[in-house]
Amino acid sequence: MTKFEFAHTADGIARQAGALLRKFYEKGVSTEYKGDVDIVTEADRASEQLIREKLKAAFPTHGVYGEEGTRDQMESEYRWYVDPLDGTTNFAHGFPAFCVVLGLEHRPPGLAPDADGEIVAGVVYDPLRNEMFSAERGKGAFLNGRAIHVSKTKTLQESLTATGFPSRKRHASPNIHFYQEFTLRSHGVRRAGSAALDLAYVACGRLDGFWEFNLNPWDTSAGVLLVAEAGGTVTHFDGGKFTLDSREVLATNGLILPEMKHLFVELFAGRGLDPIPTPAEFAARRAESQNQE
């Protein structure tokens, strides 16, 4: 089997995991907390167990790195990054935005332990919409077998973008400032709660850009390949090279990348951060605007 055939097998495994998630979703699931606000459900664990077993049966020499704790054969030449349920909070609340994620990294012999290999295949499966996003290195990106491409939106002002927020220590996250500024400068910002779906949506043109802090390899491995194979860009906020251990990700259609990079530079430098008006100031501005009409 060549590295360009892995996505087909991953597709079948993700569909099986998605069918399992649908059953849990329809009946409701019990949840527990991993931290103050991070939750994990029985569905996460059941899905990861299924995926691990299927991957090991199909690829016995491959490593598996799962969000819920699987760490098998991490020294292998090929390593799967698995998020068995991306969007757990949505899932637990009955909000219909979650997916299964499998991304495959090729790590050739001799590669330093702390160096990135090459993501060669990935799938993101939305079981409620039966949408399978898949990509293979050098072969393009697809949605249910149909080739997909990033959007042709040319300016940030015309763009629909997305972001996400951490489930813990939100008060310490600077992203609320970026959220405000991008909301003011774009057609809109969405926050759906699944980074993998956001990346898939950039790949197929439903979103023009996406940014987020502190994601993990199982969140991004498949999505960054989808965006790249669909003709987009995935970088750091300053345009630097993205790696699997990056703590920031900026995915775009390529056309709005310069504007987004510039705004990030300005915001990190403390420029362009207009204070949020108080309710009284907002009311006064609104009244003044109405009086002028």
Side-chain angles (χ1 to χ4, degrees):
M1 178 178 288
T2 71
K3 67 182 181 180
F4 299 124
E5 297 170 347
F6 290 124
H8 177 71
T9 300
D11 177 312
I13 294 172
R15 288 184 186 278
Q16 292 178 66
L20 179 67
L21 293 179
R22 278 197 304 269
K23 292 179 181 179
F24 278 106
Y25 186 75
E26 290 166 0
K27 74 174 184 179
V29 296
S30 59
T31 65
E32 63 184 69
Y33 284 89
K34 290 192 288 188
D36 292 337
V37 292
D38 274 343
I39 62 175
V40 61
T41 71
E42 56 185 326
D44 295 76
R45 295 194 177 100
S47 178
E48 183 155 307
Q49 181 178 351
L50 181 152
I51 293 169
R52 176 186 177 277
E53 292 174 354
K54 298 296 182 180
L55 284 175
K56 299 309 291 184
F59 309 112
T61 63
H62 287 198
V64 181
Y65 190 169
E67 181 182 13
E68 301 308 327
T70 299
R71 302 289 187 274
D72 286 347
Q73 297 176 251
M74 297 298 288
E75 74 287 353
S76 299
E77 182 177 352
Y78 287 94
R79 179 188 298 173
W80 290 93
Y81 292 97
V82 174
D83 194 336
L85 173 50
D86 184 46
T88 299
T89 299
N90 290 343
F91 183 90
H93 287 272
F95 188 82
F98 56 88
C99 62
V100 179
V101 187
L102 287 82
L104 179 62
E105 179 189 23
H106 179 222
R107 303 179 57 81
L111 186 69
D114 59 348
D116 269 8
E118 181 180 52
I119 300 299
V120 295
V123 299
V124 173
Y125 180 53
D126 179 344
L128 295 186
R129 295 172 180 80
N130 192 29
E131 291 190 332
M132 176 64 71
F133 298 87
S134 61
E136 299 180 344
R137 176 68 60 181
K139 297 295 184 179
F142 302 86
L143 168 55
N144 290 344
R146 175 180 57 84
I148 55 175
H149 306 280
V150 294
S151 73
K152 297 182 180 180
T153 304
K154 295 181 179 180
T155 67
L156 181 60
Q157 183 179 0
E158 299 171 316
S159 296
L160 184 66
T161 62
T163 190
F165 292 88
S167 54
R168 60 184 181 276
K169 296 184 179 180
R170 290 186 185 130
H171 64 283
S173 173
N175 202 29
I176 189 63
H177 300 295
F178 298 95
Y179 178 84
Q180 178 197 359
E181 296 304 316
F182 276 102
T183 297
L184 293 174
R185 291 167 170 79
S186 68
H187 202 193
V189 178
R190 299 292 178 260
R191 196 284 198 202
S194 170
L197 280 180
D198 288 334
L199 288 165
Y201 283 9
V202 172
C204 72
R206 294 174 183 170
L207 294 170
D208 306 301
F210 164 73
W211 82 91
E212 192 166 343
F213 290 87
N214 297 324
L215 293 176
N216 296 294
W218 51 76
D219 298 311
T220 59
S221 58
V224 296
L225 181 61
L226 281 166
V227 173
E229 288 296 314
T233 61
V234 183
T235 66
H236 287 167
F237 295 157
D238 63 359
K241 182 180 179 181
F242 176 83
T243 58
L244 285 174
D245 62 354
S246 296
R247 307 315 295 168
E248 57 189 52
V249 57
L250 172 59
T252 77
N253 64 0
L255 299 174
I256 64 170
L257 176 60
E259 278 191 272
M260 292 192 77
K261 283 196 309 181
H262 176 74
L263 183 53
F264 275 117
V265 169
E266 293 295 293
L267 293 175
F268 276 118
R271 298 184 290 268
L273 280 173
D274 298 325
I276 300 174
T278 66
E281 290 172 335
F282 181 80
R285 293 180 188 177
R286 183 177 181 182
E288 181 180 356
S289 176
Q290 290 175 339
N291 290 336
Q292 293 175 351
E293 293 179 356

